[in-house]
Amino acid sequence: RTIGDQIGEAKASGNLGNTLKILGQFDEAVVCCQRHLDISREQGDKVGEARALYNIGNVYHAKGKHLSWNTAQDPGYLPQEVKDTLQKASEYYERNLSLVKELGDRAAQGRAYGNLGNTQYLLGNFSEAIAFHKERLAIAKEFGDKAAERRAYSNLGNAHIFLGRFDISAEYYKKTLQLSRQLKDQAVEAQACYSLGNTCTLLQDYEKAIEYHLRHLVIAQELGDR
């Protein structure tokens, strides 16, 4: 501010906002991120504007998740305050998405699609969530981003469960399992086995369910995860 460097002030405000978000001070975080957004717009800095929109979405997303921890309910069955907060997150991600499309930034589009999928899932809009996660998946494959691809499969599996499409869920979870082994991520492998065990139970394939749950158990023991 002293040297009148507005872009610098905008970036610093954005960083402050992200830090306050991590500290759980969501309302203060929004103020800082909004400052980042305002200055970026004044300066005609489209990249800064896109980043600020994404960051504000993240703050509302984190706040929504934080508020929903107190209500141990399935996605979609949320108190109004939580719904409103997640709806705001979704709106900012949508605005970010249209801007990064304009800028032709595919990687940023991937991030926006993933987060839109996650917020729609929490809101109980499972078909919308699936559409967004499919877009996320396509971009992850484009970039050869195996970790993002793995997350997309997992999220697609979760959303299909709530639509009662257990067989489709199982296929996505199998892909999650495959990729977690490729990535040598044992914790995620265990998680995928757990999801597959539950899905096989829903499909009444109890032999397979036992197999997956035993695998989950073995990895949990190996990792010393009580």
Side-chain angles (χ1 to χ4, degrees):
R1 278 180 180 156
T2 309
I3 60 170
D5 173 5
Q6 287 223 282
I7 296 285
E9 185 187 336
K11 280 182 185 164
S13 297
N15 289 337
L16 253 178
N18 290 340
T19 311
L20 287 163
K21 178 196 78 180
I22 294 164
L23 290 169
Q25 296 173 27
F26 303 114
D27 298 338
E28 294 91 327
V30 169
V31 173
C32 293
C33 291
Q34 186 64 47
R35 182 87 186 112
H36 183 193
L37 181 62
D38 294 342
I39 298 173
S40 300
R41 281 193 177 139
E42 280 164 25
Q43 298 294 310
D45 173 9
K46 291 275 194 192
V47 174
E49 185 182 339
R51 199 162 288 155
L53 288 167
Y54 182 74
N55 288 344
I56 297 174
N58 282 345
V59 175
Y60 282 120
H61 194 175
K63 184 182 179 179
K65 282 200 286 195
H66 177 77
L67 290 171
S68 66
W69 284 337
N70 308 325
T71 60
Q73 282 163 321
D74 281 338
Y77 298 94
L78 298 168
Q80 196 55 46
E81 186 192 2
V82 181
K83 275 187 183 167
D84 293 344
T85 306
L86 290 168
Q87 201 52 60
K88 271 186 188 159
S90 207
E91 282 160 22
Y92 278 99
Y93 288 139
E94 290 271 16
R95 286 161 66 186
N96 164 264
L97 180 61
S98 67
L99 194 47
V100 293
K101 275 183 178 171
E102 201 183 300
L103 294 167
D105 185 342
R106 286 294 279 167
Q109 286 170 44
R111 288 192 292 274
Y113 280 126
N115 281 332
L116 276 164
N118 290 336
T119 47
Q120 289 305 311
Y121 172 80
L122 290 172
L123 285 164
N125 303 328
F126 303 114
S127 300
E128 289 89 335
I130 287 165
F132 286 129
H133 284 309
K134 280 184 174 168
E135 295 282 358
R136 176 66 191 112
L137 179 62
I139 295 174
K141 284 180 172 173
E142 238 173 76
F143 281 89
D145 184 343
K146 293 288 183 194
E149 192 182 330
R150 200 272 308 152
R151 285 195 301 273
Y153 283 134
S154 185
N155 289 328
L156 282 161
N158 294 343
H160 278 93
I161 287 281
F162 281 96
L163 292 175
R165 298 177 190 156
F166 307 134
D167 47 343
I168 300 175
S169 286
E171 290 312 309
Y172 281 125
Y173 288 142
K174 280 175 192 163
K175 288 181 167 151
T176 307
L177 183 58
Q178 232 175 333
L179 276 175
S180 64
R181 283 176 180 159
Q182 267 181 40
L183 294 163
K184 296 186 172 38
D185 187 335
Q186 277 205 295
V188 172
E189 185 184 339
Q191 228 171 4
C193 288
Y194 175 76
S195 297
L196 272 164
N198 289 339
T199 310
C200 287
T201 302
L202 292 167
L203 287 165
Q204 298 183 334
D205 184 349
Y206 303 117
E207 292 298 320
K208 267 273 174 247
I210 289 168
E211 230 173 90
Y212 284 122
H213 284 309
L214 280 172
R215 179 76 192 127
H216 176 220
L217 178 62
V218 169
I219 299 173
Q221 286 169 339
E222 275 172 22
L223 296 174
D225 182 342
R226 303 285 288 177

